[in-house]
């Protein structure tokens, strides 16, 4: 009986999603008593059931998660990067508990991931069990089966990246009276299962170039292969490949693919990444003619589809979510550019320092020409498309098409703070975020944009990483050059875009990790990257810094980089999230992650 209730709940959500898209035809059906048989006997209801599975496939990139994630933690209006050292959130929670290490397995702010993802896995299995009952054509049915397998694997990958080895549920959903022993599968078993499922799904999914326009956002062959590549790159990375944060022999099988280093894992990742790169469906969006790095900016905000996005953010109706100017710009722009009483996502100095110079040199390179007294000149073009800094040119109401500098300072001449200076609920750091925002129109000018969950640049960067770890550093350089060229970095006389000749494997590894922040800031990558690299004990243990800027009476600016009051307490246990304590309490055979 409990199983029937669960099915009805899933169906109700699916129908609600359909009703939102087809108001006249499905509003009436909301009052029906729905059963499993009714849903899978109706083509439209069956398709709606599959469409609803897409909910939560993009929660790492949404700008404020509370609007998309069920039962979020207190005040969870943060984007995912605001759970790390790269940005501060509007509210102090949930980020404070993550940064300070005060959460327990009982009250961890992201505990909803576990239950939400398993519900989606069960939903996909329920569909696969019942799809034979549907009157849908064989061709459409086969594609929906492939979509469901992809989505089930997607949520398993999400669990594995977050928790390590998890429990692989039976493909046939259980009845309420079925006995289930709660026990984790090993990390290797989970990765191998997800990879095999994605390979199978890819066989039944269309190529992106052949996908019908109305189906954009639904899974493609490229999406399945890219997710597989992401999973294999994670498995090859230090945290899961011979450099675990734990020495507990009992737990190691559940948190590592290989307890000792295995170089072959990097080759598997490289092969999977290259398979996606070689698909004819995708290409970097590049335009350095309009202005340096214009393609990087354009890729995020110009239209609903482009050649670089492999997996777009999709809402529960199965449709791509297009966030217009009234969302991103209103949430992120400073007070002088929008009418709301808050601003989300304040980049920290930890983020800003990862953006090098236009010549591709790190700012701590003594030959870079970087000056801490004039820090925002001659920077990587991606900096200007990602960060709003003091005197950054930005659209302002009443200025027409002229961009007006943003004032983020304390004015000593008037002994007063500028409207956009450091203050609660606007910026705590001296910066605002411009990433994925339209910087040239007002917040009321809605645009079509697509948020990328996975894009081709990730495949290039991952391939470069894998090649470097395999000792093929010069080949890796050639792929990072493609990223830097698109970014608008100056080629230099040697056409190496700031990458020194003969760079070592270790130096390239450090370079690539900084590059990843510059390329993917605010896209939800850093949480996972700094953990899989085993660099979180450095990046997440540093003080959170702000830049307090003063405008002197002579009109010049001084920059005072100071530690924020937010204390930092990184703990090794945070390399993996805790399995919710409520789940651990249910079974003596379900092992908790180390340190929790």
């Amino acid at each position: 009986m409990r199983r029937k209730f669960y099915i009805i709940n899933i169906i109700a959500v699916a129908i609600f999603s359909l009703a939102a898209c087809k108001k006249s035809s499905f509003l009436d059906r909301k009052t029906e008593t729905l059963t499993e048989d009714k849903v899978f006997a109706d083509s439209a209801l069956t398709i709606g059931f599959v469409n609803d599975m897409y909910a939560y496939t993009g929660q790492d990139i949404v700008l404020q998660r509370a609007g998309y994630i069920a039962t979020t933690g207190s005040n969870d209006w943060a984007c995912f990067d605001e759970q790390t050292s790269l940005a501060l959130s509007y509210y102090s929670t949930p980020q404070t508990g993550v940064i300070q290490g005060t959460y327990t397995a009982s009250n961890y702010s992201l505990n909803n991931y576990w239950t939400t993802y398993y519900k989606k896995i069960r939903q996909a299995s329920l569909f696969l069990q019942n799809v034979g009952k549907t009157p849908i054509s064989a061709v459409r049915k086969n594609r929906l089966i492939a979509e469901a397998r992809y989505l089930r694997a997607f949520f398993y990958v999400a669990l594995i990246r977050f928790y390590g080895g998890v429990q692989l549920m039976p493909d046939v959903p259980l009845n309420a009276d079925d006995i289930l022993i709660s026990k984790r599968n090993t990390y290797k078993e989970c990765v191998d299962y997800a990879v095999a499922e994605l390979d199978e799904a890819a066989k039944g999914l269309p190529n992106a170039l052949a996908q019908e326009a109305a189906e954009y956002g639904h899974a493609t062959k490229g999406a399945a292969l890219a997710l597989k590549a992401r999973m294999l790159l994670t498995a090859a990375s230090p945290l899961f490949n011979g450099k675990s944060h734990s020495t507990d022999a009992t737990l190691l099988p559940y948190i590592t693919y290989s307890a000792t280093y295995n170089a072959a894992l990097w080759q598997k990742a490289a092969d999977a990444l290259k398979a996606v790169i070689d698909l004819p469906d995708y290409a970097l969006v590049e335009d350095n003619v309009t202005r340096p790095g214009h393609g990087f900016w354009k890729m995020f905000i110009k239209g609903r589809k482009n050649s670089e996005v492999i997996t777009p953010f999709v809402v529960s109706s199965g449709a791509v979510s297009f966030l217009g100017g009234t969302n991103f710009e209103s949430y992120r722009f400073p007070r002088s550019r929008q009418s709301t009483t808050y601003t989300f996502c304040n980049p920290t100095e930890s983020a800003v320092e990862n953006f090098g110079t236009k010549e591709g040199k790190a700012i701590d390179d003594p030959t870079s020409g970087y000056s801490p007294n004039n820090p925002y000149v001659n920077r990587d073009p991606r900096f200007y498309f990602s960060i709003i800094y003091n005197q950054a040119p930005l659209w302002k109401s009443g200025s027409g098409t002229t961009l007006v500098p943003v004032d983020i300072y304390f004015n000593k001449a008037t002994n007063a703070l500028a409207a956009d200076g450091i203050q609660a609920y606007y910026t705590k750091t001296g910066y605002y975020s411009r990433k994925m925002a339209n910087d040239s129109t007002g917040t009321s000018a809605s645009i079509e944009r697509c948020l990328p969950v996975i894009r081709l640049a990730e495949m290039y960067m991952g391939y470069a990483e894998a090649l470097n770890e395999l000792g093929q550093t010069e080949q890796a350089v050639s792929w990072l050059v493609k990223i830097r060229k698109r970014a608008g970095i100056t080629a230099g006389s040697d056409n190496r875009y700031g990458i020194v000749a003969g760079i070592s494997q270790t130096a390239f590894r450090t370079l690539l990790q900084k590059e990843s922040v510059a390329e993917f800031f605010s896209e939800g990558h850093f949480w996972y990257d700094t953990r899989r690299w085993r660099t979180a004990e450095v990046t997440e243990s540093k003080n959170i810094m702000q830049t307090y800027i003063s405008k002197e009476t002579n009109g010049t600016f001084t920059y005072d980089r100071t530690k924020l009051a937010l204390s930092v307490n990184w703990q090794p246990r945070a390399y993996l999230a805790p399995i919710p304590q409520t789940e651990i309490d249910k079974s003596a055979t379900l092992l908790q992650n180390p340190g929790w």
Side-chain angles (χ1 to χ4, degrees):
M1 196 60 188
R2 280 182 289 170
R3 178 171 178 266
K4 288 294 183 184
F5 281 134
Y6 181 81
I7 292 168
I8 292 171
N9 286 337
I10 290 177
I11 293 167
V13 172
I15 299 307
F16 180 79
S17 300
L18 281 168
C21 296
K22 300 183 179 182
K23 297 177 181 177
S24 59
S25 58
F26 283 95
L27 280 174
D28 294 340
R29 296 194 181 202
K30 287 175 64 179
T31 59
E32 290 184 12
T33 301
L34 296 169
T35 64
E36 182 179 319
D37 291 337
K38 284 184 178 180
V39 168
F40 293 109
D42 185 300
S43 297
L45 297 182
T46 301
I47 293 170
F49 191 85
V50 174
N51 287 347
D52 181 66
M53 293 180 206
Y54 282 90
Y56 304 107
T57 55
Q59 67 174 334
D60 292 341
I61 195 174
V62 294
L63 70 163
Q64 51 96 352
R65 298 171 57 256
Y68 299 91
I69 314 303
T71 61
T72 53
S74 174
N75 293 331
D76 196 355
W77 287 75
C79 74
F80 206 58
D81 271 8
E82 290 167 21
Q83 313 294 329
T84 74
S85 60
L86 293 188
L88 292 186
S89 55
Y90 170 72
Y91 292 109
S92 60
T93 54
Q95 184 182 41
T96 300
V98 174
I99 295 293
Q100 296 181 337
T102 58
Y103 283 126
T104 68
S106 296
N107 67 355
Y108 191 66
S109 62
L110 303 172
N111 270 347
N112 62 294
Y113 276 39
W114 181 274
T115 52
T116 298
Y117 289 157
Y118 269 119
K119 285 178 181 178
K120 289 297 177 182
I121 287 167
R122 191 180 193 285
Q123 190 173 348
S125 295
L126 186 64
F127 169 81
L128 292 169
Q129 181 189 20
N130 287 278
V131 64
K133 303 174 184 178
T134 70
I136 298 173
S137 69
V139 172
R140 186 70 180 273
K141 187 182 297 184
N142 287 336
R143 198 195 71 199
L144 291 175
I145 290 172
E147 282 190 54
R149 292 190 80 165
Y150 162 81
L151 287 164
R152 184 168 63 183
F154 183 100
F155 291 113
Y156 270 124
V157 169
L159 286 168
I160 297 164
R161 292 176 82 202
F162 211 56
Y163 298 102
V166 295
Q167 182 159 17
L168 297 176
M169 304 302 290
D171 286 348
V172 176
L174 298 171
N175 289 308
D177 54 354
D178 289 336
I179 298 174
L180 174 66
I181 298 174
S182 295
K183 186 176 181 180
R184 297 169 70 172
N185 286 77
T186 67
Y187 184 85
K188 184 179 185 302
E189 288 172 340
C190 291
V191 171
D192 291 349
Y193 172 82
V195 166
E197 283 292 287
L198 289 165
D199 277 335
E200 284 301 312
K203 296 174 184 178
L205 293 170
N207 291 321
L209 291 175
Q211 189 178 39
E212 298 177 9
E215 295 295 324
Y216 179 59
H218 287 248
T220 60
K221 176 181 178 181
L225 295 181
L227 185 60
K228 168 189 169 181
R230 174 186 275 184
M231 184 72 270
L232 287 173
L233 183 70
T234 301
S237 300
L239 183 64
F240 304 105
N241 184 10
K243 197 178 178 184
S244 174
H245 64 298
S246 174
T247 58
D248 187 333
T250 303
L251 290 176
L252 283 178
Y254 304 104
I255 59 175
T256 61
Y257 195 96
S258 178
T260 56
Y261 179 73
N262 182 357
L265 296 181
W266 286 111
Q267 188 62 58
K268 289 175 66 175
D271 293 343
L273 289 155
K274 191 60 162 57
V276 180
I277 292 170
D278 287 343
L279 292 174
D281 306 62
Y282 310 106
L284 295 179
V285 178
E286 186 172 329
D287 176 7
N288 289 309
V289 175
T290 304
R291 55 179 171 171
H294 186 74
F296 178 78
W297 175 81
K298 183 168 64 175
M299 181 263 299
F300 293 108
I301 72 164
K302 291 291 185 179
R304 65 188 301 270
K305 184 177 183 180
N306 63 61
S307 62
E308 184 166 340
V309 175
I310 299 174
T311 307
F313 170 48
V314 178
V315 293
S316 59
S317 62
V320 174
S321 178
F322 303 114
L323 299 182
T326 55
N327 285 292
F328 254 86
E329 289 74 14
S330 289
Y331 284 138
R332 289 187 165 172
F333 280 5
R335 176 190 295 184
S336 63
R337 276 30 176 202
Q338 41 96 343
S339 59
T340 57
T341 57
Y342 45 76
T343 295
F344 297 105
C345 190
N346 301 154
T348 65
E349 276 295 331
S350 292
V352 169
E353 68 186 15
N354 284 279
F355 293 87
T357 67
K358 188 179 179 182
E359 291 75 30
K361 295 183 178 182
I363 62 172
D364 58 0
D365 183 334
T367 68
S368 68
Y370 169 80
S371 170
N373 297 319
N374 197 10
Y376 309 132
V377 298
N378 199 44
R379 298 294 289 268
D380 180 333
R382 289 171 296 190
F383 171 78
Y384 302 111
F385 297 128
S386 303
I387 310 293
I388 298 173
Y389 53 93
N390 182 47
Q391 300 304 287
L394 190 65
W395 175 91
K396 188 173 184 179
S397 178
S399 64
T401 58
T402 301
L403 302 184
V404 179
V406 179
D407 296 332
I408 311 175
Y409 56 73
F410 178 83
N411 192 336
K412 288 188 176 180
T414 60
N415 199 35
L417 191 70
D420 296 324
I422 290 179
Q423 55 192 299
Y425 306 121
Y426 286 95
T427 179
K428 303 173 183 178
T429 64
Y431 299 104
Y432 297 88
S433 177
R434 196 197 297 255
K435 183 67 177 283
M436 297 182 282
N438 186 4
D439 58 3
S440 57
T441 63
T443 56
S444 61
S446 183
I447 60 171
E448 278 198 335
R449 92 189 80 204
C450 182
L451 306 186
V453 176
I454 303 178
R455 55 185 175 95
L456 184 62
E458 180 184 342
M459 302 293 104
Y460 280 25
M461 294 278 283
Y463 189 50
E465 181 182 350
L467 289 175
N468 184 56
E469 296 302 330
L470 289 167
Q472 301 171 38
T473 301
E474 273 306 300
Q475 293 93 320
V477 166
S478 68
W479 290 95
L480 189 54
V481 159
K482 297 177 189 295
I483 296 292
R484 290 191 155 199
K485 180 174 180 288
R486 187 275 291 278
I489 300 292
T490 302
S493 59
D494 57 2
N495 284 313
R496 291 178 68 88
Y497 292 82
I499 305 173
V500 298
I503 187 171
S504 70
Q505 182 188 57
T506 300
F508 185 84
R509 184 184 298 128
T510 300
L511 175 68
L512 186 115
Q513 289 172 358
K514 285 181 173 290
E515 192 85 17
S516 182
V517 175
E519 180 72 21
F520 298 114
F521 171 70
S522 209
E523 294 182 53
H525 289 238
F526 186 68
W527 172 286
Y528 302 104
D529 284 344
T530 195
R531 283 161 171 76
R532 69 179 181 86
W533 291 329
R534 279 255 2 218
T535 56
E537 56 214 57
V538 176
T539 65
E540 305 306 276
S541 65
K542 295 193 301 184
N543 292 325
I544 306 296
M545 305 296 287
Q546 66 175 194
T547 295
Y548 193 90
I549 303 169
S550 298
K551 185 175 183 180
E552 304 297 326
T553 54
N554 64 1
T556 62
F557 296 102
T558 57
Y559 302 87
D560 186 16
R561 294 165 182 86
T562 58
K563 183 176 79 70
L564 283 167
L566 177 63
S567 60
V568 174
N569 181 26
W570 168 260
Q571 300 167 3
R573 66 175 186 168
Y575 271 113
L576 293 170
I579 294 173
Q581 190 62 43
T582 53
E583 299 298 319
I584 297 294
D585 291 342
K586 293 175 184 176
S587 172
T589 58
L590 186 62
L591 298 179
Q592 180 60 278
N593 275 327
W596 294 99

